[in-house]
Amino acid sequence: MKGHVLIVDDDRSMCEMLAGALEGHGFRVTWKTSGEEAMLALQGAEIDAVVTDLNMHGMSGLDLCHRVVENRPDIPVVVVTAFGSLETAVGAIRAGAYDFLTKPFDIDQVVVALQRVVQHAQLGKEVKRLREEVSSAGGFPEIIGSSPPMRRVFDLVERVAETAATVLITGESGTGKELVAHAIHQRSGRRGGPFVAVNCAAMPEQLLESELFGHVKGAFTDAKATRTGLFVKASGGTLFLDEIGELPIEMQAKLLRALQERTVRPVGGDREIPFDARLITATNRDLEHDVEERRFRQDLYYRINVVNIRIPPLCARGNDILLLAQVFIDELSKKHGKEVTGLSPAAAEKLLAYDWPGNVRELQNGIERAVALTRYREIAVEDLPDKLREYKSWHVVLAGDDTSELLPMSEVERRYIMRVLKEVKGNKTMAARILGFQRRTLYRKLDRYGLSDGRERQA
């Protein structure tokens, strides 16, 4: 069912004809022959759109449009008239009409217009529902989401939290891996202990070793006092190592030994210190590939990857995009001292169409810009960043009817490889499986087509 449409026209035969045509295209239709009857119908039914004739006896289409906008602003109105002119079009739009059609019209034109209108209306209702959902967060208040991929993540978190298993969280940058790690900690028996997080890519190897394992006084130039490492500080709680794929090989060996022995040796020290911390790690890298290319130790990979939780990219989370956007709007409108209540349906459509390479961080940044710039209570399309407003879905065109568009097989292969890599967000292991290649074959082709990031050549 494509939506419930209310047709209003004082010409009964026109109502019957239009209703029959729209029902044939999957719409549910109610029709009335006066504006007064239409307003009564709107009180007792879930209507997605109103199609009204402009010139009617009694209440005119413009008057009806005014009444609908005033009483049911969530329902878009399409005005139809046989007297098409700039003045009547402007009058209808000023009255709040969503669209304007002139008689005689082609039924396909009406169908296309109504599909767009109904989608707009239903998206508006979804935005409103999400606003309400934000105020009543479920069992994971620290992680916003209700899409099937995120429900699978929530299920894994619940199941693994009470165990002692080591967890590897994978996913693109900006997807919220640390939030998931914190959720596991909060639901575990260690919730009363510390949650200690460190970014392995944010500091040089010597400093990271000192941070993790501690050091004794005089171990190096700036070691003016003995310092306890984070493994020991996290005892009774959880140690979260973010970006673990960035660890140098030498550091990986020391980490593996610590996990096997459950002890650490401070830098410059001569004795082992036991620790009791649960380890959770995270990475945005393809560690299987790094293991094969000997950039990551296989034994350490199996040690940290007892349970893997993969966080889906934002573009795979459907209406979670709107749910997160509403959360950010609520937070940022308070921060900037503005009364912004939500998204316009048109702005919501733009957010859903975009592919979000920066994931949740990029969404938060875009919403902050929009909140700061908007002059209205709802964020409009013009408030969004340029790249969101101008975004067009990317598709690989292999060939067309025009023979000038026919391509050499090498170019077809190159474009298809690009398409697959884009769909799997650059995961070369997954791309190779989809393409039916060995990974080394894929790397050779990437190198040949100039698509390599350079790391493959270093292996």
Side-chain angles (χ1 to χ4, degrees), residues 47-66:
I47 302 293
D48 293 305
V50 173
V51 180
T52 180
D53 189 38
L54 187 62
N55 292 284
M56 298 187 294
H57 298 296
M59 186 187 299
S60 70
L62 281 182
D63 291 336
L64 175 60
C65 189
H66 277 296

Side-chain angles (χ1 to χ4, degrees), residues 206-216 219-220 226-232 264-269 273:
Q206 184 180 17
L207 181 56
L208 180 61
E209 182 178 1
S210 173
E211 283 289 311
L212 292 178
F213 304 143
H215 63 254
V216 299
F220 47 86
T226 297
R227 181 173 181 176
T228 302
L230 297 181
F231 266 97
V232 176
V264 294
R265 177 177 294 181
V267 177
I273 300 176

Side-chain angles (χ1 to χ4, degrees), residues 119-135 144-147 314-330 341-354 356 360 363-364 367 379 384 388:
Q119 181 185 23
H120 177 93
Q122 293 178 343
L123 192 52
K125 292 174 183 176
E126 179 66 7
V127 169
K128 182 179 179 181
R129 183 190 69 79
L130 291 173
R131 288 176 192 165
E132 297 169 353
E133 186 173 325
V134 167
S135 62
I144 303 299
S146 58
S147 62
L314 184 58
C315 63
R317 292 176 55 181
N319 280 355
D320 281 358
I321 296 170
L322 303 183
L323 186 59
L324 284 161
Q326 187 61 48
V327 171
F328 295 144
I329 288 169
D330 292 347
T341 59
L343 295 161
S344 70
E349 289 177 23
K350 288 291 185 182
L351 264 58
L352 290 175
Y354 187 59
W356 300 107
V360 179
L363 174 63
Q364 184 175 17
I367 293 298
I379 291 173
L384 300 175
L388 267 73

Side-chain angles (χ1 to χ4, degrees), residues 252-385:
Q252 292 176 29
K254 295 173 183 177
L255 176 60
L256 177 64
R257 183 180 181 280
L259 295 177
Q260 289 174 333
E261 303 298 328
R262 304 297 294 176
T263 61
V264 294
R265 177 177 294 181
V267 177
D270 56 5
R271 67 185 185 89
E272 301 288 332
I273 300 176
F275 67 89
D276 175 30
R278 180 185 192 170
L279 184 69
I280 300 176
T281 61
T283 183
N284 60 5
R285 295 176 63 103
D286 180 357
L287 288 188
E288 284 188 22
H289 169 229
D290 287 351
V291 167
E292 185 168 298
E293 298 301 318
R294 299 185 180 180
R295 289 194 291 268
F296 199 87
R297 292 180 62 109
Q298 185 180 57
D299 44 7
L300 178 60
Y301 174 69
Y302 289 123
R303 173 69 65 173
I304 64 174
N305 191 28
V306 176
V307 176
N308 177 235
I309 299 178
R310 178 159 185 81
I311 313 302
L314 184 58
C315 63
R317 292 176 55 181
N319 280 355
D320 281 358
I321 296 170
L322 303 183
L323 186 59
L324 284 161
Q326 187 61 48
V327 171
F328 295 144
I329 288 169
D330 292 347
E331 293 174 352
L332 295 166
S333 59
K334 293 177 183 176
K335 173 183 174 181
H336 293 288
K338 300 186 73 172
E339 293 186 9
V340 183
T341 59
L343 295 161
S344 70
E349 289 177 23
K350 288 291 185 182
L351 264 58
L352 290 175
Y354 187 59
D355 64 358
W356 300 107
N359 290 293
V360 179
R361 289 198 193 106
E362 185 181 9
L363 174 63
Q364 184 175 17
N365 179 271
I367 293 298
E368 180 157 18
R369 177 194 187 276
V371 168
L373 294 181
T374 188
R375 293 171 293 180
Y376 309 106
R377 291 174 62 84
E378 283 191 339
I379 291 173
V381 171
E382 57 265 27
D383 301 319
L384 300 175

Side-chain angles (χ1 to χ4, degrees), residues 240-258:
F240 174 59
L241 299 184
D242 198 7
E243 304 295 356
I244 194 170
E246 305 301 325
L247 280 181
I249 285 289
E250 296 79 6
M251 191 65 193
Q252 292 176 29
K254 295 173 183 177
L255 176 60
L256 177 64
R257 183 180 181 280

